[in-house]
Amino acid sequence: MIAENLTNVKNNIKEACLKAGRDVSEVTLVAVSKMKPIEDILEAYDAGIRFFGENYVQELAEKMEELPDDIKWHMIGHLQRNKVKYIVGRVDMIHSVDSRRLALEISERSLKLGKVTDILAQVNMAGEESKFGLRPDEATDFAIAVSEMKGIRLRGLMTSAPFVEDAEKNRNIFRSMKDLSVDIMKKNIDNVLMDTLSMGMTADYKVAIEEGATLVRVGTAVFGERNYGGLR
Ligand SMILES: *Cc1c(COP(=O)(O)O)cnc(C)c1O
């Protein structure tokens, strides 16, 4: 079932790339495995997936212990500063950095381990009350501020677009994200790469790819519906 889902998702990614004139190698699928059991993750792993996204620190830490070392874990959920120590040095990328204080904590913890952690700046492009993230007009100053922090490297931007039935409704949001990332890239800020754009989920990853996503975070289309009943 999961292998079949993955075949579908990968085909959709290829189609979206073709439509947009992009090479399929530009887009990485991050399989979002939050609230899914180890067996499901192993099924995706056996089908060749190596990038997995998780939202909750404790769940992520537990899964990292049990699963193969060559998995690249992406922290995509809201992160509190006091939990940074549990994941730094062990995750491939943190997508959800939305304040200088959080960035500084990640930097300092990384330096203690002699590492540099790749991060993305989370942007609340649609201005939704319920969502975390910087305002779009704060993103450039944020990039400048974190460029001074030696233990992190800002690789780009991340957004969670509104939930919509019709993915086309999010196209402008994705386009604005791409524009914002190009604007910041053009400033040539030291230590800021802007080669990564994390956007697009099950409902809208095809449109996100057409608009320039390099990482898509897909959960439901890979693993099936989540059961929120047991949410910690
Ligand atoms: C849960 C989650 C996803 C995956 O959502 P699906 O709709 O299941 O694909 C992607 N990004 C973030 C930040 C999430 O929390």
Side-chain angles (χ1 to χ4, degrees), residues 52-214:
F52 290 90
E54 288 281 341
N55 290 60
Y56 310 103
V57 167
Q58 191 186 341
E59 182 176 348
L60 173 56
E62 283 168 15
K63 286 175 173 173
M64 281 190 293
E65 286 293 319
E66 287 188 51
L67 285 154
D69 285 339
D70 63 341
I71 288 182
K72 303 212 181 290
W73 294 102
H74 283 219
M75 175 60 187
I76 64 172
H78 182 61
L79 180 58
Q80 289 167 317
R81 280 187 301 147
N82 62 359
K83 301 242 172 101
V84 166
K85 57 179 176 282
Y86 300 117
I87 61 166
V88 128
R90 306 172 72 191
V91 291
D92 187 53
M93 188 177 275
I94 301 175
H95 292 223
S96 43
V97 184
D98 60 357
S99 75
R100 294 174 199 202
R101 290 165 75 206
L102 176 59
L104 189 61
E105 176 71 16
I106 298 168
S107 178
E108 286 176 349
R109 291 276 173 189
S110 301
L111 284 177
K112 268 189 201 155
L113 300 173
K115 301 206 171 174
V116 176
T117 300
D118 282 332
I119 66 160
L120 300 177
Q122 183 171 356
V123 177
N124 185 359
M125 187 50 84
E128 290 175 281
E129 288 283 344
S130 60
K131 292 220 172 118
F132 294 101
L134 300 162
R135 289 196 320 264
D137 65 350
E138 295 173 322
T140 301
D141 283 347
F142 177 81
I144 292 168
V146 302
S147 73
E148 309 278 326
M149 301 177 191
K150 302 277 184 253
I152 52 179
R153 183 168 44 210
L154 182 62
R155 294 291 300 269
L157 307 178
M158 174 270 210
T159 199
S160 283
F163 179 77
V164 288
E165 296 284 340
D166 175 11
E168 285 299 330
K169 294 211 169 96
N170 281 338
R171 187 178 291 278
N172 279 333
I173 288 175
F174 297 140
R175 193 167 291 174
S176 303
M177 284 292 292
K178 173 73 185 183
D179 290 347
L180 181 59
S181 85
V182 170
D183 284 349
I184 296 172
M185 197 191 310
K186 280 186 183 152
K187 298 204 184 314
N188 278 316
I189 305 164
D190 276 354
N191 195 34
V192 171
L193 280 166
M194 302 308 286
D195 60 356
T196 303
L197 198 47
S198 168
M199 58 188 194
M201 320 195 334
T202 292
D204 53 20
Y205 65 95
K206 287 175 269 184
V207 173
I209 290 168
E210 287 169 26
E211 297 301 329
T214 69

Side-chain angles (χ1 to χ4, degrees), residues 32 34 55 76-77 158 160 201-203 217-221 226 228:
V32 176
K34 61 170 177 245
N55 290 60
I76 64 172
M158 174 270 210
S160 283
M201 320 195 334
T202 292
R217 310 179 309 268
V218 183
T220 308
R226 287 176 294 274
Y228 279 95

